[in-house]
Amino acid sequence: MAMAMLPPDWPGNFWAHWGIFTVIILVYVLLMVLGFIWFERRSMAIMQARLGPNRAGPFGLFQSPADALKVMLKEDIIPSRADKVVHWLAPVIAFFPVMMVLAVVPFQGGALLADLNVGVLYIVAISSVTTLGVFMAGWASNNKYSLLGAMRQVATVVSYEIPVILSLVGVIIITGSLSLQQIVMAQDVPFILVQPLGFLLFFTGALAEINRAPFDLTEADSELVAGYMTEYSGMKFGLFFLAEYGEALVISSIVTTLFLGGWRGPLLPDWLWFLVKVGAVFFVIVWIRTTVPRVRIDQLMALAWKFLFPLALINLLVTAVEVLVWPDVSLWVLVPINFAVMIVLVLLWSKFFKLGWGRVNV
Amino acid sequence: MTTTREISLNLDTEPFVVNFGPAHPSTHGVFRMLTTLDGEVIVDMEPVFGYLHRGLEKLAEERTWGGCIPLTDRLDYLGAMANNFAYCLAVEKLAGIEVPERAEYIRVIMAELQRLASHLCAVGFFLNDCGAFQTPVVYMLREREKILDLFDMVCGQRLTYNYMRVGGVSQDLPDEFIPALKKLLDEMPGWIGEYERLLKQNEILLARAKGVGILSKEQAINSSASGPVLRASGIKWDIRRADPYSIYDRFEFDIPTGSAGDCYDRYRVRIAEMHQSLRILEQAAAQLPPGDFRSEVPHLVRPPAGEAYGRLESPKGELGFYLVSDGSIAPYRFHVRAPTFINLTTLSELVRGWKIADAILIFGSIDICMGEVDR
């Protein structure tokens, strides 16, 4: 834990630091995404009484690299009536925020590209850019499925940004800092225990923002074929695919950092703890995907505005009052109180809350 | 007040036409929905059929009476045994052929196994259309596979059986069939219980399927819907009871009905029917008599000139064959009353006003098979 001391802003040579961590983030994203795809396919297969990929390499581990190679070799088709520049630019814009966001995520104490003092704000701001890429893809493809998928994506993100950000503010209030490094250092008790409601809201909202089941309406394959990706092929499709799993990786990393104590843990080396926690969060995402059906678009909106939004506000209020009244109390004291608050609120809301409106008269 | 009106006019979105199918992941084959959308809401839907039209009815006129049986397999390929059965019923009615008792029992066992297999598919793909990412459907296909193994055992085929013959079935049950059937009957209730635990009370499924796509009693009768779609609307009409054919009057079973006629009821009715099929199978397996599996029928049947309509309760509804004979070795007219085609005519009415996601769900809950719709 020697590294847990606050590191200097730019240790050693600026360019050396920049170069090393850029490479680390690239390798992290690419390897983890390949690993995640394999992991998702295998664990889903086990949950669904199937085998999953098991031919290419030991346990099918080479399936993802093989798929990646295939995607790179495929023909890149642009629809004749598409807006070519936007169509080409969209996957790039969808993918680059994934890399950018990881710049402020500490892999272990002090091991991060930039310890920004506005880290959380930076994450929230940059990660929304992906939506722009998705909407560009939907618009430029000149395809109605793509457009519908993109419209759903924009509506989802606009609605879910608010509860997601509000649920993060509780963490920030307790820590008193926006820096992710500081937030991890403040977690003597993992914030999932101190902010259970905040975690629940953030995780639900994040699932909706990254289009994972049960909120995967953007690419609902039983309705919209592949949503905004319908007209993409070759490496541009690959980039979207990479962006999608990269977002899942980013969300897993952020949840790990903000709520699960980041790299901190006994026995194992710090970086391994980080990876283990990221993997565990991703497993939960996969688990949810195999378990529940998809919600409808109006139910999705209702969930954001009627359920998550008021609860996030109340959570923020409760946390603020707690910090104001007992500024120096041990975090352990807040755990039972906040759990009680969460249970009461969730039960109360689920009793009065109704999903969606049903039929429209036409 | 004019200003309000102008504003609302300006906010209206422009309806646009989206084409679902014929090649679309959840059109269950090659169905095509020409939808007019207002945002996400379906204003109008025009169904387009015919992409799988193979002219089976005309083809049948070129074949002998017995030679038509393989053609019926290709109608509803998820319920081929029921198709064989219905066609043989019609021909036997036309030619006045008696069927030995053992053959009747074998036919009922096959028909009920087929109902189980078909409902497993129907429920599984319905839940898949809900967006339950393949988990329920894989579990249900696992069990369907075991039923297909039984079919494989009796006739060597897994999808298009060509098992029944005019006057009986093509071959007797092998010795290992009844023990295998008993094993399936022992295990099946546990498996159905497993599906129930998976999704029956799932909050999202309830929100998605309850009250969605309501088919009222009047609508159901007016459109002459049949099968689980009709019974989910609360009408107790099952040809096995209403017009007993073969030996169905010897078995005890209930006719499960729904109350609301929504997608959830259609799903529940199918699950309940699976339990009833198991009851019938148990009784049939216990009562199975020895004897001939096929009566003496000439190779080329020549029914006397006339017409006959044979019908039965197929997994998807009332399946009927209307046959006209001119006394020759081939049917003069071969018409199929396809239950899914007639159930599908209600779809346009049902989806209007619902969202795209609901339309897919309603379509899935009707449980169609394009092989039968287009013929």
Side-chain angles (χ1 to χ4, degrees), chain A residues 44 47-48 50 144-145 148 152 221-223 225 289-290 293-297 299 355 358-360 362, chain B residues 17 19-20 24-26 40 129-130 132-133 135 138-139 202 204 207-208 352-358 360:
Chain A
M44 266 174 67
M47 287 184 234
Q48 297 179 339
R50 311 184 274 122
K144 286 166 183 170
Y145 294 131
L148 274 169
R152 286 178 173 186
D221 67 323
S222 60
E223 298 153 27
V225 193
R289 185 178 180 201
T290 51
R294 186 183 303 123
V295 298
R296 206 167 55 202
I297 182 76
Q299 295 167 344
L355 272 175
R359 191 173 185 276
V360 179
V362 289
Chain B
V17 178
N19 179 36
F20 286 93
H24 184 275
S26 49
E40 287 258 348
D129 286 346
C130 286
F133 190 78
T135 311
V138 177
Y139 276 76
N202 185 288
I204 299 177
R208 284 294 304 278
R352 212 160 286 166
W354 292 100
K355 300 202 162 48
I356 303 168
D358 296 318
I360 301 291

Side-chain angles (χ1 to χ4, degrees), chain A residues 97 100-106 116 118-129 161 165 168 178 180 183 202 209 250-251 253-255 257-258:
Chain A
M100 301 267 291
V101 165
L102 286 169
V104 295
V105 175
L116 291 185
V118 288
V120 176
L121 188 66
Y122 169 85
I123 287 177
V124 167
I126 295 293
S127 61
S128 317
V129 176
E161 282 283 280
I165 295 170
L168 284 181
L178 285 164
L180 269 72
I183 289 175
F202 177 77
E209 280 201 26
V250 163
I251 290 298
S253 305
I254 293 173
V255 168
T257 310
L258 295 184

Side-chain angles (χ1 to χ4, degrees), chain A residues 6-22:
Chain A
L6 191 63
D9 237 6
W10 300 104
N13 185 333
F14 171 85
W15 288 111
H17 180 92
W18 180 84
I20 290 168
F21 277 98
T22 308

Side-chain angles (χ1 to χ4, degrees), chain A residues 25-280:
Chain A
I25 290 173
L26 262 171
V27 172
Y28 176 71
V29 170
L30 293 177
L31 281 186
M32 286 297 270
V33 164
L34 288 182
F36 270 12
I37 294 171
W38 174 82
F39 178 67
E40 172 165 41
R41 292 177 68 175
R42 285 294 285 197
S43 49
M44 266 174 67
I46 291 166
M47 287 184 234
Q48 297 179 339
R50 311 184 274 122
L51 286 176
N54 63 350
R55 294 286 137 174
F59 309 107
L61 266 171
F62 296 157
Q63 189 64 50
S64 308
D67 286 344
L69 198 66
K70 180 199 77 173
V71 156
M72 275 187 255
L73 296 175
K74 281 208 143 189
E75 188 190 353
D76 176 30
I77 301 165
I78 300 178
S80 57
R81 304 284 300 274
D83 187 336
K84 289 199 177 54
V85 178
V86 182
H87 191 265
W88 186 88
L89 213 56
V92 182
I93 289 183
F95 181 60
F96 90 89
V98 171
M99 300 287 213
M100 301 267 291
V101 165
L102 286 169
V104 295
V105 175
F107 297 107
Q108 64 175 29
L112 70 173
L113 179 57
D115 185 13
L116 291 185
N117 55 3
V118 288
V120 176
L121 188 66
Y122 169 85
I123 287 177
V124 167
I126 295 293
S127 61
S128 317
V129 176
T130 301
T131 314
L132 188 62
V134 169
F135 190 70
M136 283 164 71
W139 181 256
S141 297
N142 193 20
N143 177 312
K144 286 166 183 170
Y145 294 131
S146 304
L147 188 61
L148 274 169
M151 270 160 52
R152 286 178 173 186
Q153 165 84 356
V154 172
T156 313
V157 170
V158 166
S159 308
Y160 275 85
E161 282 283 280
I162 298 161
V164 161
I165 295 170
L166 283 178
S167 60
L168 284 181
V169 177
V171 170
I172 297 166
I173 288 178
I174 292 178
T175 321
S177 168
L178 285 164
S179 150
L180 269 72
Q181 171 85 12
Q182 298 282 358
I183 289 175
V184 175
M185 304 248 270
Q187 293 188 55
D188 295 324
V189 184
F191 281 161
I192 186 174
L193 298 177
V194 185
Q195 282 280 310
L197 185 57
F199 169 75
L200 197 70
L201 299 177
F202 177 77
F203 195 62
T204 317
L207 282 186
E209 280 201 26
I210 63 171
N211 307 313
R212 297 295 297 205
F215 309 112
D216 55 343
L217 298 105
T218 305
E219 58 223 68
D221 67 323
S222 60
E223 298 153 27
L224 296 183
V225 193
Y228 62 90
M229 291 197 273
T230 307
E231 292 291 357
Y232 279 89
S233 64
M235 199 50 213
K236 285 195 292 197
F237 168 78
L239 264 187
F240 271 124
F241 205 69
L242 206 61
E244 197 179 301
Y245 278 85
E247 281 180 320
L249 173 65
V250 163
I251 290 298
S252 307
S253 305
I254 293 173
V255 168
T256 303
T257 310
L258 295 184
F259 291 100
L260 299 181
W263 71 81
R264 296 174 67 170
L267 296 176
L268 295 179
D270 288 352
W271 58 271
L272 193 58
W273 262 118
F274 182 78
L275 292 185
V276 166
K277 287 174 182 175
V278 168

Side-chain angles (χ1 to χ4, degrees), chain B residues 64-66 91 95 97 166 297-303 327-330:
Chain B
T64 60
W65 288 96
V91 178
I97 295 168
V166 177
V297 176
H299 187 62
L300 289 177
V301 196
R302 286 174 198 272
S328 70
I329 56 165

